[in-house]
Every structure is written in C-alpha cells, then in structure tokens.
Amino acid sequence: MGTVSSGIEAGASKLVEGIASGSRAIVAGATIGGEYLKSKLTPNETPTHVSPKVAGTLFVAGKLTPMCVTVSRILINSLAHLAEEIGSAVSDGIKSTNLGSKVKSSVPDGPRTQAAKAIGKSTVKAAVDIWEALEEAGGLLFTRTSAITVDVVTHKYGDEVGQATSDGLKVAGNVAQTVYNLDQMGVKKVAKRLAANTATKTFLEDGKDKASSQPAITNGGIGLDTLSLANMLLLTSAATAT
C-alpha cells in the first residue's frame, strides 16, 4: 500500500512537471510566432486612432472588473468557510446517533484501513497539485499570449490600438474569471462540497488522523470544486482499498 501511495505522488509530480514544461513550450512557440507575424506585417503609415468613447469605456471597465473578481473571490471564501462549519456540525450530529456509531464501528481500524487512508490522501494531494498546475499553466498562457497579441497589433496599427487591445483583453479575462467564480457558488456545487466534507469527517477522520479540509482558494478561485473533488477521491480510494 505504501508503494501505491508513493507511486501516486511520484506520478502526479511528473505530470505537474510535464504541464509546466508544456505551457512554457507553448509560450515559447507563441513568442516565435508573434515575431514571425511582425516580420511579415508592414506597419501602417498612419497609426490608427481609437475614439475617445471606446478608450474611455475600456478604461472604466478595466478599473471596475478587477473589483468584481475580488468580490467574487471573497464570496467563495465565505461560502467555503460556511460549508466547512456546517459540515463539521452535521458530522458531529451524525456521530452522536446510534446509526452513526454503528457505521463508524463497522470500519475496521486495522492496517488495511490505515493504508486506505494513506492512499486516499495521496490521491487527494495528487489531484489538487495537478489542478493547481493546470490553473497556473492556463494563467501563464493567457498572460503571455495576450502580451504577444498586443505587441503584434501595436506593431501593425499603432500605440492607441495596441493599448485598446491590451485593455480589452484584461477586461475579458476579468469578466471570464468573475463568471467562473460565480459559477462555483451554484447551489448544487456548494451542496456537493458540503456532502463530501460531511462524509469525510464522519467516516474517515479520527482524532489523530484528519484529512486536510480547509478551503484552498487560489488565484483561479477553484476552492469549492477542488475540495469536492479531493473529498470524493478520498472516499472512493478508501472504500476501494477496504
């Protein structure tokens, strides 16, 4: 069982390294592609001007949309904490019932159970590490490809269009992040996380060996979904091994 746990962690580590290397290679390729485009594009003799109205709209949107991202992350943090507290309360309530005691006592506290928990934790860690690597790679790709796009547009059309393109891409990124964050606060996703946390705390944790279940909010605001995935993997792995 220990070999299995080590294998899961080692495999995840290699995959994380591969994701990082792959994203860097894509960025390098995009940079070369951008330079090639610039070499083939002849700059306009007269730079293109952006209307003050469009420039002003993009400027205001650029100031407001980061606030929306921040607020949505705060809401996710609050909901994650609330779900955590509710999960703990419900878990304590279940453990105090006759049915809860019977189910808890029906799980043998032997080497296989402990090994199952170890495998479950390795699976959880692997899943979260891979998810975070994907998120980091996505952020890198968006940032670098946006910069390359702005560089090419500026080369062809001038500074004003380049700045408008930069502002527009930032706004688009902030709006997409806000929509994603708000999507994580859907009733079904919050309920799924609450159910997973409650099950984990009730049947897999004990006084000396508790799986980490604190909200893992990252730049991408994925805490709710990540923890739902992690807890469900923990439950599945333990159930399979026992």
Side-chain angles (χ1 to χ4, degrees), residues 84-97 100 104 194 197-205:
E84 194 73 27
E85 293 299 321
I86 293 175
S88 297
V90 173
S91 172
D92 292 341
I94 292 175
K95 290 177 181 178
S96 65
T97 64
K104 183 72 175 179
L194 175 58
N197 271 346
T198 301
T200 302
K201 287 178 175 293
T202 303
F203 303 117
L204 291 183
E205 291 185 356

Side-chain angles (χ1 to χ4, degrees), residues 14-28 133 137 140-141:
K14 292 294 183 183
L15 183 54
V16 167
E17 291 177 7
I19 292 171
S21 299
S23 63
R24 289 194 295 268
I26 293 173
V27 167
L140 174 64
L141 290 175

Side-chain angles (χ1 to χ4, degrees), residues 173-191:
N174 288 333
V175 169
Q177 183 66 69
T178 301
V179 170
Y180 178 84
N181 288 348
L182 292 175
D183 182 61
Q184 303 312 299
M185 294 188 290
V187 174
K188 290 183 179 180
K189 290 187 177 181
V190 174

